């Protein structure tokens, strides 16, 4: 006898206070093709706060309409098991996905309103970050980069406050295929290094 039916029911019992959404384009490319053509575009996976897969399905386009039926079925299962729908959602395309998912999973909108109420003015668009010339510097030579990185290292070591923050970001060009997936990546073109100290000092280097 197979325990698959039992395992299916156990998986459905897993809650999802948050849902992390991801689209994998590699898996779909490796599935059997129909007359040489790719059948699906991507595999969509939603995992909960424990990393457990709670919803997974294939799509043929990137359109949100491809996801609606699967999400509604997922929410129906949660209701059947007396579970609360996800109140937090993670995606790598927040600007594109926000409206759709807040409409499809209403509790996300409720939670967003609650979080916005904790920060005065949060419902308005954030003002552009403003840095004066004394707060940033462009480094283009190896010597200049090393001097500034070593200076920052010395500065950070001299601060013991847990409120100090250091941020690192890298940018590089990519090449995409006809389906929009990344086919190759170039070398790192820009490295941004920023910090803020508990004293209020803010700086950025690129």
């Amino acid at each position: 006898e197979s325990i698959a039916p039992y395992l299916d029911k156990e998986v459905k019992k897993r809650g999802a206070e948050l849902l992390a959404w991801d689209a994998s384009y590699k898996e779909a490319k490796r599935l059997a093709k129909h007359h040489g053509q790719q059948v699906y575009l991507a595999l969509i996976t939603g995992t909960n706060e424990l990393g457990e897969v709670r919803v997974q399905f294939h799509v043929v386009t990137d359109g949100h309409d491809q996801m609606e039926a699967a999400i509604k079925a997922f929410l129906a299962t949660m209701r059947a098991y007396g579970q609360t729908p996800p109140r937090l959602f993670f995606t790598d395309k927040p600007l594109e996905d926000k409206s759709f998912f807040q409409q499809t999973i209403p509790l996300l909108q409720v939670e967003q309103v609650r979080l916005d109420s904790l920060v005065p003015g949060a419902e308005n668009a954030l003002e552009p970050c403003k840095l004066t010339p004394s707060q940033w510097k462009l480094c283009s030579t190896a010597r200049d980069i090393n001097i500034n990185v070593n200076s920052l290292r010395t500065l950070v070591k001299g601060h013991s406050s847990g409120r100090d923050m250091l941020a690192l970001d890298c940018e590089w060009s990519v090449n995409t295929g006809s389906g929009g997936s990344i086919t190759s990546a170039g070398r790192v073109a820009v490295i941004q290094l920023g910090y803020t100290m508990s004293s209020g000092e803010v700086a950025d280097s690129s």
Side-chain angles (χ1 to χ4, degrees):
E1 294 184 7
S2 173
I3 63 171
Y6 168 79
L7 293 177
D8 288 341
K9 292 180 180 179
E10 284 301 308
V11 170
K12 291 180 179 180
K13 295 178 183 178
R14 308 299 182 187
E17 182 177 352
L18 66 82
L19 204 58
W21 206 254
D22 180 68
S24 172
Y25 297 92
K26 294 181 180 179
E27 186 267 358
K29 291 181 179 179
R30 287 165 172 74
L31 292 177
K33 297 184 178 181
H34 180 68
H35 296 294
Q37 298 297 317
Q38 187 173 322
V39 179
Y40 298 106
L41 175 68
L43 175 69
I44 304 296
T45 303
T47 56
N48 64 10
E49 58 272 22
L50 299 178
E52 299 169 323
V53 176
R54 291 300 292 108
V55 57
Q56 192 171 59
F57 56 94
H58 284 101
V59 294
V60 296
T61 73
D62 279 323
H64 286 139
D65 61 306
Q66 295 278 297
M67 309 174 187
E68 190 170 357
I71 295 174
K72 288 183 177 179
F74 166 63
L75 295 177
T77 298
M78 297 194 78
R79 286 194 298 270
Y81 281 86
Q83 299 168 343
T84 303
R87 64 180 185 87
L88 298 174
F89 193 89
F90 294 87
T91 172
D92 57 359
K93 299 188 297 181
L95 289 179
E96 297 178 29
D97 293 339
K98 180 179 179 179
S99 178
F100 169 75
F101 283 105
Q102 286 188 345
Q103 292 178 10
T104 310
I105 309 177
L107 189 58
L108 295 179
Q109 176 64 35
V110 175
E111 183 66 11
Q112 184 67 62
V113 172
R114 186 189 73 82
L115 293 174
D116 288 345
S117 68
L118 301 177
V119 183
E123 66 278 4
N124 301 320
L126 295 176
E127 295 183 1
C129 178
K130 298 178 181 179
L131 293 177
T132 65
S134 63
Q135 292 179 298
W136 66 273
K137 182 177 182 180
L138 177 63
C139 305
S140 56
T141 66
R143 180 177 180 277
D144 206 11
I145 292 173
N146 289 332
I147 290 175
N148 281 272
V149 170
N150 289 331
S151 297
L152 179 58
R153 182 183 293 115
T154 301
L155 181 63
V156 172
K157 285 182 178 180
H159 286 71
S160 58
S161 172
R163 292 175 294 174
D164 298 338
M165 292 183 289
L166 180 67
L168 175 68
D169 178 57
C170 299
E171 304 288 344
W172 60 88
S173 62
V174 296
N175 298 314
T176 58
S178 57
S181 58
I182 297 175
T183 57
S184 62
R187 299 177 62 183
V188 174
V190 178
I191 298 177
Q192 300 177 71
L193 188 62
Y195 70 88
T196 177
M197 298 301 176
S198 55
S199 60
E201 181 180 2
V202 179
D204 176 74
S205 296
S206 298

